[in-house]
Each structure stands twice: as structure tokens, then as C-alpha cells.
Amino acid sequence: MPQFLTNKRLIILLGSIIILVALIGFSIRDRENITWPEKFVKDVTGFGQNIISKPVSAIEEFFDNVGRLRNTYEENEKLRTHLDKLAQLESDVTRLEKDNVELRKLLEKEDSLADYEPVQATVIARNPDRWYDLITIDQGESNGIEPDMAVMTASGLIGKVKNTSKFTSTVQLLSSNDAQNRVSALIQSDKSNYGLIEGYDDEKRMLKMTKIPSDAKVEKGQFVTTSGLGGVFPKGLVIGKVMELVPDEFGLTQTALVEPAASFYDLEHVMVSKRTMTKVLPEEDNRQQVLIEEEGL
Amino acid sequence: MKKGLLPLLMIALFYSDSVFMLFFPENVFDGAYVPAPHFFIIGLLFMSVFYDRNTAIKYGFLFGFLFDLFYTELLGAYLFFLPLIVYITSKLTKWLQSTFVIFFIIILFDIALFEMIVYGLNLLVQRTEVSFEPFVSMRLYPTLALNALYYILFAIPLRNAFQKFKNKFG
């Protein structure tokens, strides 16, 4: 009898190892979206998460507000100085926007890579495992969210939608370590320099921007935004600031360390950007932009 | 007291991890330390010792599966290793007397073991590139400290709750 017991245990052990390997293989496979049973479980779990997270959020926000009341005076002073400049800025922006629309009309090119529709969402959960930076938001397919859409806060890009279910979606933050998580980006200066945001330096807590041409003149403090060329993200979302520039191992390209503009912690409200323009770039006038990028590389 | 309270307690513990993550003031350490909450695992281990081991294993399977699907997206990790940890704990508590201090050490051992298993798994599927020593100093020690604090605060209420459940319908 004991012999039989150990045999049974061995079979259970081996069986579970096989299933474990199969499941892990299944989940790390490169796939567009999750399967419907997964979606169903996510919706049900997300519903419960919503019920628990929302009231806790409200309480936390209340205490935050109370804390903020203390330095209202100083903040007010600071904001007032900003306000003086704002009026001028605002009129400039409207004028430029109008110009832009008119010029686009002249060129018969009304869509822009920079156009997007924002969808507001609230963060309801964060992966407590902390190996992989994933957050769950309370908007899903029913609000038109699709995988690969850009997710940002008021201060900048934070990640992209990894998968969606009916009422929730999972967002992969830029800080998670994933070789497939690449964002086409550009460094703003007189001549834009293109590159790829690829990977995150855990110790320095900065994003790595690779494939910058070796002759590109990049200075510390220049802004990095999305380029819109990846075919997924809209153009012009702020990613961060260049902090350091290092040549790569072969000396053909450079890598910049970029300090992210948005914090990846304490996320509460985020925006998902639905890009209005088509996802792929088959049009001829758009192809020009791809060529520019290739020249840059 | 109704029988539904036991699953309700486990569900609350299940969500408590991620709720803690949402409101944990990360800026205090500026990302230098990465403590991970394992409140559900602690609850599950209390259940296995003070309620019933086999029920705890079933709960480990079910909630481990939900954990994998909803949070980590690495199917299989929590699903298999939560029941394993419960099993190991039940064996350990058989040999050792289960006073609060000894159970404290057992739980810390379990969490360290679990962290290392999950670390190994993540290393294997290349979700992390952190080497072992930074892992220990950045993650393992802060995680143990956080969960030790949780144990000290909640050990007595958790034990009382599970003992009550056991008296009612164990």
C-alpha cells in the first residue's frame, strides 16, 4: 500500500510539472489577445476588484486632498506666475492649430499621426507580484479599447494595453522588462533623431532608448516623444528627457538613458489613446515618413 | 455565522494584496526597495494550520489560478506553488509545535521559498534580468519585513477567525 501511495504521488507530481510547463508556455506565447475563458475570468475578478478598489480610492483621495490643503498658499503663488504666461501661450496654440488645419487642407492631408481620442480610465489593480509591471484599468472592449493602444497620464506615456476583456484591460508599463515592448520615439531638436524605447534600467530607473544614429547630436535635457511611426501610438506623446548618452557595444548606434516624464508609481487616473488614423502605413505620402526614419537609422 | 463567510474572508484577502499595491506610497523608497505583499499566502497558511489542510490546498489552487490569470499573467506559477507551500507548511507544523513564534518563522521561510521559486521562474521566461544578489537585497529582505509586519499585526485576528470557522463547521 505505501508503495502505491508513493507511485500515486509521483504521478501527480510529474503530471503537474507537465501541466505547469504547458501553461507557462501558453501564457508567454506572443499572442494578440487573450482567449475567451481568460476574458471571462478577468471580467468576474475585475468586477470584484472594482467593488473593493473604488471606495478605498475615494478614501485615499480624500486624505490626499486634506494633505494638499496645507500648502495651498504656496501653490497658488506659483500658479499665478504661470497664469500670466498661459494667456499668451493659449492664443499662440489656437493660432498655430488653426494654421495647421488650414495648411493641412491645402496639402489635402487631413489625418495626422498625432490625432487621437482619449478615453479616461481608473486604475483598479496593480500586479502585487511585482515582477512584471502590469496594471488593470476599469475600461475594456465595451468602451472601444483594443490591445496595443497607448496609455498615459497627464505627464506622459506610461505603457500600452496588453490585453482586453469586456470591462477591464491590462496595461503593461514601460518599466516592465519585455523584449517585445518597443516604442518608436524621437528626440526633439532642430533635426529630429529617431530611436526605439526598449527596456528599462532597474537600478537607475530610466528608460533605454536605443538605435540612435551615432552621428546624431543629442544633448542632455532634450525631450523624447513618441514618433507615431510604430504604427500603433499617436505621434507626440511625451515620454521623458534625455539624461545620458552612451555608444552601444559596436559603436554603430548610440543609446540614451531617458528619465520618464510620468511616474510609474501611484497611478490612479490614466488615459488610453485611441489613434484615429489607420494602424498600418500603406499610403504613399506616409511611406515617406518611414523612409525618413530609415535614413536616420 | 454562515458558511459563506469563509470564502468571503479569502476573497477579501485575495484582493487585499493588489489594493495594498495601489496605495502603497512607493515614493518613500524611490523604488530602491521592492517589497511585495503576500497577505493572501499568509491567510492561506493560517487556514491550513488552524482550519483544514485539504480545504486550504483547494483554495490555493482556485485563488492561485485567479492570481495567475488576473494579476501576473504567467499561468501556472501561483496555481501550483501555492498548494505546494501549503503542503510543506502542514508537514513542518506536524514536526514543530505551532506556537506563534515558530509559526512566524515557518511563514517567513515559506514566503522566502515562494519568492525564490517565482524569481527562478521569471528568470527562466526572461521577465526579469535581475541577478541573485540584487534580488535578495532589493526584494527578498523588504518583502520579508513587510510580511513580518503584517503577521505581527494580524496573526491573532486571523487565528481566531479560522478557529471559529473550525468550531462552527470543521
Side-chain angles (χ1 to χ4, degrees):
Chain A
M1 216 47 187
Q3 184 61 39
F4 169 71
L5 256 177
T6 48
N7 268 345
K8 194 178 149 197
R9 268 186 207 162
L10 204 66
I11 289 169
I12 291 178
L13 192 69
L14 285 178
S16 32
I17 288 174
I18 291 168
I19 298 172
L20 174 69
V21 171
L23 275 176
I24 288 177
F26 174 72
S27 55
I28 60 169
R29 213 174 37 153
D30 187 19
R31 49 187 177 160
E32 233 158 64
N33 208 343
I34 47 179
T35 53
W36 72 262
E38 284 171 280
K39 283 186 186 180
F40 177 72
V41 174
K42 278 210 169 203
D43 274 335
V44 174
T45 322
F47 179 72
Q49 183 79 59
N50 243 322
I51 292 175
I52 294 191
S53 292
K54 289 274 163 76
V56 183
S57 268
I59 295 166
E60 208 237 358
E61 222 157 279
F62 171 75
F63 281 108
D64 257 16
N65 288 342
V66 171
R68 239 175 258 151
L69 269 181
R70 289 202 326 231
N71 31 25
T72 316
Y73 180 76
E74 285 163 37
E75 232 177 56
N76 205 358
E77 290 287 287
K78 239 189 245 170
L79 289 176
R80 204 168 285 178
T81 52
H82 280 296
L83 206 62
D84 295 337
K85 293 173 208 157
L86 196 68
Q88 183 60 43
L89 200 69
E90 225 167 50
S91 72
D92 280 354
V93 168
T94 33
R95 186 174 51 82
L96 288 173
E97 251 174 20
K98 228 172 106 190
D99 269 8
N100 203 335
V101 170
E102 275 167 17
L103 288 173
R104 268 180 197 290
K105 255 185 201 157
L106 268 178
L107 284 170
E108 292 176 345
K109 181 169 178 292
E110 285 179 39
D111 293 345
S112 157
L113 287 173
D115 291 341
Y116 66 87
E117 272 175 54
V119 177
Q120 304 289 335
T122 307
V123 180
I124 54 170
R126 192 183 174 114
N127 179 7
D129 185 59
R130 308 200 63 177
W131 280 113
Y132 207 54
D133 280 330
L134 296 171
I135 57 174
T136 309
I137 56 173
D138 66 345
Q139 305 282 320
E141 279 162 13
S142 60
N143 304 84
I145 311 252
E146 279 166 35
D148 285 335
M149 282 179 173
V151 181
M152 57 203 161
T153 62
S155 31
L157 185 76
I158 56 165
K160 70 165 184 189
V161 176
K162 188 164 185 250
N163 54 51
T164 55
S165 67
K166 199 84 193 157
F167 304 110
T168 65
S169 7
T170 306
V171 176
Q172 182 180 29
L173 300 186
L174 288 176
S175 53
S176 57
N177 187 36
D178 181 358
Q180 278 148 10
N181 198 6
R182 293 191 204 100
V183 181
S184 172
L186 64 84
I187 300 172
Q188 287 182 335
S189 57
D190 301 338
K191 181 183 172 289
S192 309
N193 292 304
Y194 291 89
L196 289 174
I197 296 285
E198 201 174 17
Y200 184 74
D201 191 323
D202 271 316
E203 275 159 45
K204 288 179 180 162
R205 287 183 286 289
M206 283 196 235
L207 296 164
K208 281 183 265 186
M209 182 170 171
T210 60
K211 312 260 185 327
I212 306 168
S214 55
D215 57 345
K217 286 191 188 69
V218 178
E219 278 162 40
K220 199 178 152 183
Q222 282 176 336
F223 278 100
V224 178
T225 66
T226 52
S227 70
L229 296 175
V232 182
F233 291 176
K235 187 180 178 177
L237 304 179
V238 181
I239 297 173
K241 255 184 202 171
V242 176
M243 293 311 274
E244 218 181 305
L245 202 69
V246 280
D248 79 342
E249 36 200 314
F250 306 112
L252 297 171
T253 60
Q254 308 180 77
T255 298
L257 286 176
V258 177
E259 189 186 47
S263 162
F264 298 131
Y265 305 121
D266 298 326
L267 299 165
E268 269 178 59
H269 301 290
V270 296
M271 270 184 295
V272 184
S273 76
K274 272 204 257 181
R275 184 165 139 167
T276 41
M277 206 168 148
T278 42
K279 276 192 168 179
V280 213
L281 300 168
E283 305 291 327
E284 256 185 352
D285 32 342
N286 290 338
R287 204 173 286 161
Q288 242 175 345
Q289 275 170 311
V290 178
L291 286 178
I292 291 170
E293 185 196 32
E294 274 167 3
E295 262 172 30
L297 295 176
Chain B
M1 203 189 287
K2 288 197 182 115
K3 200 156 185 167
L5 280 177
L6 179 65
L8 214 63
L9 175 67
M10 294 319 277
I11 289 172
L13 281 169
F14 172 74
Y15 285 126
S16 68
D17 281 350
S18 72
V19 169
F20 176 82
M21 270 317 297
L22 272 184
F23 306 113
F24 177 64
E26 196 75 49
N27 302 334
V28 177
F29 303 124
D30 196 30
Y33 297 109
V34 192
H38 286 308
F39 306 155
F40 178 75
I41 297 182
I42 295 178
L44 195 69
L45 295 180
F46 266 97
M47 187 185 192
S48 76
V49 173
F50 294 106
Y51 186 69
D52 177 39
R53 191 195 79 182
N54 288 345
T55 323
I57 287 183
K58 279 177 211 153
Y59 272 79
F61 258 120
L62 178 70
F63 283 100
F65 178 64
L66 288 183
F67 223 99
D68 286 336
L69 249 177
F70 192 66
Y71 296 124
T72 64
E73 306 218 325
L74 185 67
L75 299 181
Y78 279 62
L79 176 69
F80 283 106
F81 293 117
L82 280 187
L84 183 75
I85 296 268
V86 171
Y87 187 77
I88 290 172
T89 309
S90 72
K91 288 284 169 221
L92 283 177
T93 44
K94 248 179 213 168
W95 296 333
L96 305 162
Q97 271 188 334
S98 59
T99 60
F100 269 126
V101 178
I102 287 177
F103 194 45
F104 178 69
I105 294 164
I106 291 177
I107 280 195
L108 285 193
F109 166 75
D110 281 331
I111 288 175
L113 182 71
F114 186 77
E115 275 286 310
M116 278 189 228
I117 290 173
V118 176
Y119 166 67
L121 222 58
N122 275 298
L123 210 60
L124 200 71
V125 300
Q126 295 178 336
R127 280 191 164 196
T128 178
E129 285 168 348
V130 181
S131 47
F132 190 72
E133 265 164 38
F135 156 71
V136 171
S137 62
M138 262 178 73
R139 217 188 126 103
L140 192 58
Y141 290 149
T143 302
L144 288 180
L146 172 69
N147 289 294
L149 192 69
Y150 180 83
Y151 179 88
I152 292 164
L153 289 177
F154 288 97
I156 293 169
L158 277 175
R159 187 201 57 178
N160 290 347
F162 282 117
Q163 273 180 346
K164 244 180 213 168
F165 285 133
K166 188 166 184 158
N167 290 338
K168 286 278 174 192
F169 32 78

